[in-house]
Amino acid sequence: MSDNTISLSRWLIEQERTYGHIPGSLRLLIEQVARACKRISRAVNKGASTGILGSAGSENVQGEVQKQLDVIANDVLLEANEWGGHLAAMASEELERIHVIPHRYPRGEYLLMFDPLDGSSNIEVNVTIGTIFSVLHLADGVSEVGPEHFLQAGRQQVAAGYCTYGPQTSLVLTLGHGVSVFTLDSEQGSFVLTQSSLRIPALTQEFSINMSNMRHWAAPVRRYIDECLAGQDGPRGKNFNMRWVGSMVADVHRVLQRGGVFLYPWDKREPERAGKLRLLYEANPMAFLVEQAGGMAIAGTERILDIQPETLHQRAAVILGSNEEVALLQRYHREAS
Ligand code: AHM
Ligand code: MG
C-alpha cells in the first residue's frame, strides 16, 4: 500500500468526522462486516482445493438447496458480528428466524440483514458471487427484539453494501452520502478506496435480464425489451447489448460501473410471488446503493425503498439502474395498470 492509499478504516473515520451523525458504533459494525467478507473471500478463493464446493445436503427457508459455501458464509457473518456490541439482532436469507445477539454479549442499536452468498449457483463454475448486506436502526425503547423490528421500509436503511468475490474482491458501500468502492489488497489484507462518489452513467444501451423467462413476463417488461431488441430501426433508435451473469452482485456491479438496467421482474411462473429476489436481503440494499449513485430502483410502478415489508423473507420485483431506462419502464408499468 502506498502512503496516499486510503484504507476502509481511515475512510470510515474521516466520514465520521465529516458527517457527525455517522456514529462510531456504525463505523465499527461496517469494519466487522468487511472483516467477515475478507474471510468469505478467502474461502471462495480456495474453492475446490479445500473440498468445500458442492451441496451442504440441506435446504434453506426458501426451499433452496444450500451449498457448503452458503452455510460457511452465513456462519462467518454470524460469528464475526455477534460479539462486537453494535447489533441487537441479525437476519439472513439462509435462516428461517432472526438471530438475536446472545445475552453474554452487549446489545447494540443496529439490525443487520444479509444474503451471505449471492449467486450461489455460480460457485462451482468459478463465476463472480458475493455478499449483500443492509443495516437498520432498532426502534428506541425495544427490550425484546423480534422479526417485526426488521420490517422497515428500505428508505430507513442507515447503510448498505455488497462485496464481490470475482477477479477482484470489491466492497461497494453507502452510508447515505453517496457510494464508495473499495478493492481488497490481498497482500496487505485490507480494503483500499478505489472510487468515490460513484455515479451510474446516464447514457446507456445495455440491459440485464434472464431472457429464458421472456414468455412469462408481464406486458410492460415485454414491451421494453422488445423495443431494445428492435435496435437502431426500432422506437429507441439505438442498438442495445445484453448481459446476464446470474449473480445479482455481479450484474448490479456492472450496472453501477457502466450503466444500463437490471431486471428480475414479476412473472407468470409463480403469479402469487412478487418476484424471485428477496426484499430485505437483496432488493433494498441494492436499491439504496443505486439511488445513492444517482439511479432509480422500482418494483414496477412503486419505488423499492417505499415498499412496506410484511414478512422477513418477502420477495420483490426488481428493476434498477440508469434513470432514463428505469423511468421508461415505470411509465410502461403505469400505462398498463
Ligand atoms: P441466490 O441468492 O439464491 O443466489 O439467488 C439469487 C440469484 C441472483 O443473484 C440472480 O440475479 C438470480 O438469482 C438469478 O436467477 P436465475 O437463475 O433465475 O436467472
Ligand atoms: Mg441472493
Side-chain angles (χ1 to χ4, degrees):
M1 245 193 310
S2 73
D3 284 347
N4 52 10
T5 54
I6 297 177
S7 66
L8 174 67
S9 305
R10 175 174 163 187
W11 182 87
L12 284 165
I13 287 175
E14 288 175 357
Q15 291 293 300
E16 190 182 334
R17 280 189 202 131
T18 314
Y19 305 103
H21 51 279
I22 295 175
S25 54
L26 179 59
R27 171 171 66 80
L28 293 168
L29 165 56
I30 300 296
E31 291 213 52
Q32 213 47 52
V33 172
R35 214 162 284 148
C37 290
K38 281 191 249 177
R39 282 174 58 193
I40 299 170
S41 174
R42 278 197 294 275
V44 169
N45 283 164
K46 286 181 187 162
S49 69
T50 47
I52 53 163
L53 297 193
S55 164
S58 51
E59 282 188 356
N60 68 9
V61 56
Q62 347 265 343
E64 297 158 344
V65 175
Q66 287 179 307
K67 304 285 176 70
Q68 289 186 65
L69 268 175
D70 282 324
V71 176
I72 291 169
N74 190 60
D75 289 349
V76 165
L77 281 156
L78 290 179
E79 194 271 328
N81 289 291
E82 206 176 45
W83 49 266
H86 323 302
L87 286 174
M90 294 179 250
S92 163
E93 186 183 304
E94 300 297 335
L95 294 176
E96 183 175 358
R97 296 172 202 283
I98 64 165
H99 179 88
V100 177
I101 299 302
H103 288 303
R104 61 182 182 279
Y105 300 121
R107 200 186 88 168
E109 57 188 313
Y110 294 104
L111 303 171
L112 177 67
M113 285 142 289
F114 46 81
D115 175 357
L117 209 54
D118 176 62
S120 45
S121 67
N122 277 328
I123 293 174
E124 279 86 7
V125 290
N126 198 4
V127 166
T128 299
I129 47 182
T131 297
I132 311 174
F133 63 92
S134 159
V135 182
L136 289 167
H137 201 261
L138 176 67
D140 290 338
V142 174
S143 52
E144 287 292 313
V145 195
E148 66 277 15
H149 299 114
F150 286 82
L151 305 182
Q152 303 180 33
R155 62 176 180 273
Q156 290 177 266
Q157 291 170 100
V158 294
Y162 64 82
C163 203
T164 58
Y165 313 120
Q168 301 132 32
T169 294
S170 305
L171 173 69
V172 180
L173 177 67
T174 184
L175 301 173
H177 301 278
V179 176
S180 302
V181 182
F182 301 84
T183 305
L184 182 62
D185 176 338
S186 51
E187 280 166 20
Q188 302 292 334
S190 69
F191 281 106
V192 295
L193 181 68
T194 44
Q195 264 177 300
S196 299
S197 307
L198 180 75
R199 302 302 288 174
I200 299 186
L203 259 185
T204 140
Q205 37 208 85
E206 196 162 69
F207 64 87
S208 186
I209 190 167
N210 185 337
M211 292 289 288
S212 70
N213 297 323
M214 186 180 234
R215 69 190 183 285
H216 307 297
W217 296 338
V221 172
R222 184 78 193 230
R223 176 179 172 191
Y224 174 82
I225 299 293
D226 279 348
E227 290 181 0
C228 293
L229 294 176
Q232 209 156 11
D233 304 326
R236 301 298 308 275
K238 57 181 179 181
N239 294 326
F240 280 77
N241 188 28
M242 192 280 279
R243 286 285 182 273
W244 184 253
V245 176
S247 295
M248 187 191 201
V249 277
D251 283 312
V252 172
H253 193 63
R254 187 189 55 253
V255 168
L256 280 168
Q257 294 291 346
R258 68 180 194 208
V261 60
F262 167 90
L263 305 96
Y264 211 118
W266 171 90
D267 69 44
K268 290 181 206 137
R269 284 173 298 171
E270 289 183 67
E272 69 294 341
R273 203 171 78 161
K276 175 184 180 183
L277 300 173
R278 271 71 30 150
L279 178 61
L280 298 189
Y281 318 111
E282 295 168 320
N284 272 342
M286 291 309 202
F288 190 23
L289 286 162
V290 164
E291 286 201 6
Q292 285 292 316
M296 278 178 75
I298 57 168
T301 52
E302 191 179 15
R303 179 185 178 223
I304 288 175
L305 296 183
D306 285 338
I307 298 174
Q308 175 56 50
E310 285 165 10
T311 59
L312 214 49
H313 298 295
Q314 171 173 342
R315 314 268 180 156
V318 174
I319 298 172
L320 55 79
S322 299
N323 263 323
E324 210 177 294
E325 301 302 318
V326 181
L328 185 61
L329 274 149
Q330 192 174 40
R331 175 157 80 75
Y332 290 176
H333 279 87
R334 284 191 176 137
E335 284 173 13
S337 65

